[in-house]
Amino acid sequence: REFEEKVAQAGGRTQIGEEVWEFARDLARQAEREAEMGQLMEQVKAGELEIDVLNLPLYPYQMLGTLFLAFTRRALLGDDMGLGKTIQAIAASVFLKGQGKLSKVLVICPASLKLQWAKEIQRFSDERVTVMTGTKKKREQLYAQDSTFTVLNYELVLRDFDLIRSLEPDLIVLDEAQR
C-alpha cells in the first residue's frame, strides 16, 4: 500500500493483482504465527509455561514439538522411536482446538495402527475419535459422526476420497508418511 501511495504521489499508476495481496496477507499471518510460537517456545524453555492439554504431563521437548506442530502450517516431526510423536500430534491437535483453530482432524496411518491411534487419543485426551472400518455404507455413517479425530488407513483414502472431502478436515496427520 505504501508503494502504491508513493507511485501515486509521483504521478504514476500501479496495478497490483489480488493474488499479490493474498500472498502478502499470508506472509503477515505466517510472521504472526512464528512470533507467537517463538514467544511460547522461549517460555517453555525457561520453565515458565507448560502445555497442559492432555491427560498426562508432557516433557519439555514434547511441549516444544507440540508448539512446532501447532504453529507450522506443514510440519514433519522426525523424533526417534519411543519419544512420543503420536502424543505430540494429539497434543498439537487438542491445543489448536482449544485455540478455536480447528474442529476436525484426519489421521491417516497404516491399517495396523488405526486402533492404536484411537486408543492413544482416548487415553490421553477427552476428544471423540472415530475409526473407519467396514463397508462403504457403514463408513458413510461413521464419517457423519461428530468426532474431533477420524482415523483411517491409506488404502481407504482412495476409496473414500469423496467422503473425506465432505468431512472437511482442518488438519491431516500422516503417520508413516512414506506410505
Side-chain angles (χ1 to χ4, degrees):
R1 300 285 181 210
E2 185 180 328
F3 175 74
E4 280 184 313
E5 289 171 14
K6 288 187 179 198
V7 169
Q9 289 170 358
R13 290 178 33 159
T14 60
Q15 183 176 354
I16 299 175
E18 183 55 37
E19 66 277 1
V20 174
W21 295 119
E22 182 60 35
F23 180 71
R25 286 189 292 272
D26 281 347
L27 287 178
R29 285 190 293 265
Q30 180 180 347
E32 289 172 11
R33 279 192 311 273
E34 288 174 2
E36 185 179 0
M37 179 178 66
Q39 182 182 25
L40 292 171
M41 284 191 160
E42 289 305 316
Q43 291 174 336
V44 166
K45 288 177 186 175
E48 300 167 358
L49 173 69
E50 287 192 20
I51 306 298
D52 187 20
V53 294
L54 298 182
N55 299 333
L56 84 155
L58 296 173
Y59 292 108
Y61 75 89
Q62 290 174 324
M63 287 185 245
L64 294 174
T66 295
L67 291 173
F68 170 75
L69 291 174
F71 284 95
T72 306
R73 289 184 74 174
R74 292 174 184 93
L76 175 67
L77 185 61
D79 286 349
D80 287 335
M81 228 174 137
L83 292 181
K85 293 180 293 295
T86 302
I87 290 170
Q88 291 173 70
I90 295 167
S93 301
V94 173
F95 177 82
L96 287 169
K97 184 176 182 192
Q99 300 284 311
K101 296 180 180 176
L102 68 74
S103 61
K104 297 273 186 191
V105 179
L106 184 66
V107 177
I108 305 172
C109 63
S112 62
L113 297 179
K114 289 191 307 190
L115 294 179
Q116 183 65 31
W117 265 95
K119 180 179 158 190
E120 300 283 308
I121 292 165
Q122 291 168 338
R123 180 176 172 202
F124 298 123
S125 80
D126 298 324
E127 301 299 328
R128 291 190 51 177
V129 60
T130 300
V131 177
M132 291 297 120
T133 61
T135 64
K136 179 113 177 185
K137 187 167 183 69
K138 180 180 178 188
R139 292 193 312 272
E140 286 174 3
Q141 295 168 353
L142 291 173
Y143 279 111
Q145 291 187 0
D146 185 29
S147 297
T148 301
F149 290 90
T150 301
V151 181
L152 68 144
N153 53 297
Y154 285 95
E155 294 78 11
L156 287 180
V157 172
L158 294 175
R159 292 187 198 129
D160 293 355
F161 192 71
D162 55 329
L163 297 170
I164 293 167
R165 287 188 64 192
S166 66
L167 182 67
E168 298 180 344
D170 302 299
L171 175 67
I172 299 174
V173 175
L174 302 176
D175 189 7
E176 300 291 337
Q178 76 278 5
R179 296 273 327 258

